[in-house]
Amino acid sequence: MIRFRIIKRKPLPGWAKIVIPIAAILATLILSAIPILMAGGHLWKSYYYLFYGALGTRFNLLETFVKASPLLLTGLAVAFAFRAKFWNIGAEGQLLAGALAATVLGVNLGGVPQPFVLPIVIIGGFLAGGIWAAIPAILKTKLKVDDVVSTLLLNYVMIHIMGALLFGPLQQPGSSWPRSAAIIKAACYPILLPRSRFHMGILIAFFVVFVIWFINQRTTFGYRSKAVGVNIRAAHFGGINTTSVIIWTALISGGLAGLAGVGELCAIQYRLIMDISPGYGYSGIVIAMLGNLHPVGVLFSSLFFSVIIVGAQTMSRMTGVPSYIAEVIQGMSLMVMLIFLLFTEYKIKVMKK
Amino acid sequence: MSELLDIAFISGLIGATMRMATPIIFATLGEILSERAGVLNLGIEGIMLMGAMTGFLVTFTSGSIWLGVLAGAGVGMLLGLLMAFLAVYLGLSQHVSGLGITLFATGLAMFIYRLHFGSPTVPPIIQPFKQITIPLLSEIPVIGPGLFTQYSLTYIAWLLIPALSILLYKTKIGLKIRTVGENPVVADTVGVNVLLTRTLCLVAGGALMGIGGAFLTLAHQNMFLIDVIGGRGWVAIAMVIFGNWDPLKGAFGALIFGFLDALQLRLQGLGIAVSFHIFLMIPYLLTIVALISVSRKASIPASLLKPYRREEKGG
């Protein structure tokens, strides 16, 4: 009888951290041939239109950046939390909290001097997301409530809070749809490039990559946050106030997801609707894992995801392969990445008995 | 207010509560089985959607509704097996594997549906399950008509609650499952195959989740919509905790959820201005409160979330 056993290897060499995600992406693209062929699509044509649709023209390329910005922010939000082992599955709810706060502010700040409006909206959205993430962090640290389940449940609490408000006080006067009034002009993100939707929020998202990298690598808070993630007991005995670190990590993480909500509201929809997010918060989890929880890795994996999402639209139009293939590929890429990581950290030993 | 106390209203409310609770009961029982063996299956939401889609698709093409239920169970088993491969055999993080399965299965369900039906303006429909009225019992005043005019799957769900309870607490198999979930080292020492037990529980649990999903497209509605599950899988995760990993208490939680769901629909029907979103929030808030109390007790399976690997010594 042959038995397999999984044995731990020595620590990962530096190059592996770059090679593995790339290999995982390539393997996922190869695996996506299965659903493409299932749908009767021509293989090379499908891959061609997937990339052409995302990168082939100026407009498509800019759209890829438009899609990448919420994915990048939720990916960074999840990665920042996971690094401290705060299992934030709630980026979706925090995104909605951010969009909700931005709506309330963006509709009602007409009396405020114009240059102040957008900063207030952005800070408000950040705080709303942050506070929504801090609740499960407080529950975790003070009452030992499992963060995975509480963050997940709070997503639905936020969806229903939003629904209650959109059918109630926030509903656009005269409308029977669950949607808010439009935000004022001064609360909209400026469009930076003509004939596109390339908005300021994209630059903010890219800037956040740098900020998170800086926090992680160059500040004591980043060091403490990592220490809590690696070994919370050791961190505690080493004199770190782990409770405060986890709550602050959650505040920042939720805040970033909140910014994603602000972006979708102030640059794409201009008013709050129930389906303002097609699950960006959940995609953020995959993106964070694929990016190895590193901000630069998250940047590249969010770009990969937005290529898939934007390109799948064109591929669908040209080859008839349903655009939901983008979701299939997202799910597959996570599993492939996990398996690849496993086989680089461990090796399989075949034993004969 | 007199309408609220009307007998027809109460009986209708009881019936609707049972119907709305049915998919949650299936899913909760499936999740309890998995978690009792030590695996948290966050793939549940995606598994239910695949069950709903596959059940609908098979019924639509074959014309047989029971074949649809079987297909829903079958696809749930396959996804349970995938979860076992990732979380049990490879020992990957249960959180991430489960979420990965949910994402993958959600995408796949929508993809396959589109593939078969395109994007029609009017969604295709099937002939759904009919409700079965049980003679005599359904004539009990007030509660009878509601409780005993139900879909066959609802009756099955009710039979499954004590069945799982007996399996877990009164049989040798149940003892093995619980030992694997509490202390796999001990289970291994006394000759229980830990990995196989966990795999079988995930597969059987997946079947229940798949049927729970199929109920929504074959009985509750007669069509497949992309948001048909609408977070019911996560509700089930919550109900497992709320019910302390016990089938009876978990099913009770599912009933509360079904009741609130049914009540908000009816109040809306009566034109009473209560936002249904506030109602639908209650089960989630209740569960968070339950989580706070659970974290102080030790009822959670001790080895939940811990992958099992034999020690490498002497290998």
Side-chain angles (χ1 to χ4, degrees):
Chain A
M1 201 177 135
I2 296 173
R3 287 185 144 263
F4 297 98
R5 216 160 261 193
I6 296 175
I7 293 169
K8 192 150 183 133
R9 280 191 203 204
K10 305 216 163 67
L12 271 185
W15 57 265
K17 287 179 181 157
I18 299 163
V19 172
I20 292 162
I22 293 173
I25 285 174
L26 286 177
T28 308
L29 283 173
I30 294 168
L31 273 177
S32 19
I34 300 170
I36 289 175
L37 291 175
M38 251 170 73
H42 185 285
L43 209 52
W44 298 123
K45 224 170 121 184
S46 301
Y47 282 125
Y48 172 76
Y49 282 115
L50 184 68
F51 287 103
Y52 179 81
L55 312 166
T57 68
R58 172 185 179 272
F59 182 79
N60 293 358
L61 182 64
L62 293 178
E63 273 302 292
T64 301
F65 280 104
V66 171
K67 257 298 184 234
S69 99
L71 294 170
L72 177 52
L73 285 168
T74 54
L76 289 170
V78 174
F80 192 69
F82 278 19
R83 191 168 163 272
K85 294 235 164 66
F86 172 61
W87 298 111
N88 182 8
I89 314 295
E92 184 76 5
Q94 292 139 25
L95 181 154
L96 297 178
L100 191 58
T103 307
V104 173
L105 294 168
V107 170
N108 295 311
L109 284 184
V112 176
Q114 223 175 351
F116 294 112
V117 173
L118 195 50
I120 294 176
V121 168
I122 293 172
I123 292 166
F126 185 91
L127 286 178
I131 290 167
W132 198 243
I135 296 170
I138 292 168
L139 289 175
K140 176 192 167 103
T141 49
K142 304 280 184 197
L143 296 166
K144 295 197 173 89
V145 174
D146 179 49
D147 39 353
V148 173
V149 181
S150 62
T151 50
L152 190 58
L153 294 177
L154 284 171
N155 286 342
Y156 283 85
V157 175
M158 185 45 75
I159 287 174
H160 291 307
I161 289 178
M162 204 170 95
L165 290 173
L166 280 183
F167 276 110
L170 276 188
Q171 191 167 34
Q172 183 185 25
S175 168
S176 56
W177 295 98
R179 60 178 208 180
S180 76
I183 55 171
I184 59 172
K185 197 103 199 188
C188 299
Y189 275 155
I191 301 290
L192 303 177
L193 295 171
R195 288 173 289 113
S196 80
R197 299 198 291 175
F198 193 94
H199 56 84
M200 198 183 81
I202 299 168
L203 294 191
I204 295 179
F206 275 81
F207 181 65
V208 169
V209 175
F210 171 75
V211 172
I212 294 298
W213 174 84
F214 187 83
I215 294 177
N216 284 351
Q217 305 292 331
R218 293 279 184 272
T219 65
T220 40
F221 179 78
Y223 169 76
R224 285 181 182 150
S225 178
K226 175 151 195 178
V228 168
V230 172
N231 188 335
I232 188 163
R233 272 189 183 196
H236 176 72
F237 288 121
I240 293 173
N241 181 347
T242 56
T243 301
S244 138
V245 167
I246 290 174
I247 293 173
W248 276 101
T249 302
L251 267 170
I252 295 172
S253 166
L256 297 181
L259 281 186
V262 174
E264 288 312 283
L265 185 89
C266 299
I268 308 294
Q269 304 289 353
Y270 302 115
R271 64 172 81 239
L272 191 61
I273 52 172
M274 282 307 281
D275 34 12
I276 190 156
S277 163
Y280 290 130
Y282 299 106
S283 298
I285 299 164
V286 190
I287 289 166
M289 297 300 298
L290 202 59
N292 237 330
L293 309 189
H294 190 284
V296 178
V298 171
L299 171 65
F300 283 107
S301 57
S302 66
L303 285 171
F304 167 67
F305 264 44
S306 62
V307 164
I308 299 291
I309 293 170
V310 175
Q313 301 291 335
T314 307
M315 177 166 95
S316 172
R317 263 199 316 281
M318 303 306 285
T319 64
V321 176
S323 64
Y324 285 118
I325 193 163
E327 274 84 3
V328 180
I329 296 178
Q330 288 183 33
M332 281 197 309
S333 67
L334 175 62
M335 284 186 258
V336 171
M337 177 69 185
L338 285 173
I339 293 171
F340 272 47
L341 273 178
L342 184 82
F343 287 141
T344 45
E345 276 177 46
Y346 297 87
K347 57 185 172 187
I348 292 188
K349 203 172 168 186
V350 183
M351 286 180 287
K352 288 184 186 147
K353 249 191 180 176
Chain B
M1 280 304 280
S2 64
E3 286 158 289
L4 280 178
L5 303 168
D6 189 55
I7 298 229
F9 179 85
I10 291 171
S11 140
L13 187 62
I14 292 172
T17 298
M18 305 274 289
R19 280 195 296 284
M20 304 307 263
T22 304
I24 316 270
I25 292 175
F26 274 111
T28 303
L29 296 181
E31 186 67 35
I32 287 177
L33 191 57
S34 310
E35 292 193 22
R36 275 302 177 120
V39 186
L40 170 73
N41 190 355
L42 289 181
I44 186 167
E45 181 83 5
I47 295 176
M48 288 180 79
L49 190 68
M50 269 303 271
M53 194 283 300
T54 314
F56 178 81
L57 181 63
V58 168
T59 303
F60 186 86
T61 41
S62 72
S64 162
I65 200 162
W66 282 105
L67 210 58
V69 174
L70 276 181
V75 80
M77 292 168 89
L78 282 178
L79 288 167
L81 199 61
L82 180 61
M83 180 69 192
F85 172 70
L86 295 172
V88 177
Y89 286 97
L90 296 183
L92 295 169
S93 149
Q94 293 180 8
H95 293 145
V96 185
S97 315
L99 288 167
I101 286 186
T102 283
L103 280 171
F104 173 66
T106 306
L108 199 62
M110 300 190 294
F111 181 76
I112 295 175
Y113 181 81
R114 269 294 158 81
L115 210 55
H116 278 267
F117 297 104
S119 357
T121 42
V122 181
I125 53 167
I126 48 127
Q127 190 66 43
F129 271 109
K130 286 194 176 57
Q131 294 184 335
I132 299 169
T133 303
I134 295 183
L136 292 177
L137 286 175
S138 63
E139 283 158 36
I140 302 170
V142 187
I143 59 164
L147 284 181
F148 297 105
T149 306
Q150 288 293 344
Y151 301 111
S152 35
L153 282 177
T154 304
Y155 297 123
I156 292 174
W158 281 92
L159 294 176
L160 278 173
I161 301 165
L164 184 64
S165 219
I166 292 167
L167 176 81
L168 281 178
Y169 299 120
K170 304 276 184 225
T171 67
K172 227 175 159 180
I173 299 171
L175 183 63
K176 282 181 186 171
I177 294 172
R178 285 184 292 133
T179 313
V180 164
E182 290 293 335
N183 196 334
V185 179
V186 168
D188 199 1
T189 318
V190 298
V192 178
N193 188 332
V194 175
L195 303 190
L196 183 69
T197 308
R198 288 188 169 173
T199 303
L200 291 177
C201 285
L202 278 168
V203 169
L208 293 176
M209 296 168 193
I211 296 173
F215 175 86
L216 288 165
T217 47
L218 300 179
H220 180 61
Q221 290 174 9
N222 59 352
M223 60 177 87
F224 174 82
L225 298 170
I226 277 154
D227 55 354
V228 61
I229 306 298
R232 285 184 172 86
W234 308 134
V235 172
I237 296 273
M239 289 312 138
V240 174
I241 299 160
F242 180 80
N244 255 322
W245 289 267
D246 177 80
L248 295 177
K249 291 182 198 151
F252 178 67
L255 264 186
I256 297 180
F257 183 86
F259 172 74
L260 291 168
D261 213 357
L263 186 64
Q264 61 91 2
L265 277 175
R266 256 130 238 278
L267 289 183
Q268 264 187 307
L270 288 177
I272 293 176
V274 180
S275 174
F276 65 95
H277 283 289
I278 292 175
F279 269 86
L280 293 179
M281 212 187 291
I282 295 171
Y284 297 102
L285 291 175
L286 275 180
T287 306
I288 292 172
V289 174
L291 276 168
I292 294 171
S293 59
V294 161
S295 64
R296 295 167 176 273
K297 284 185 274 175
S299 46
I300 175 167
S303 292
L304 192 68
L305 300 178
K306 295 187 189 114
Y308 180 68
R309 286 200 189 101
R310 280 188 174 171
E311 285 303 309
E312 283 143 23
K313 272 179 278 177

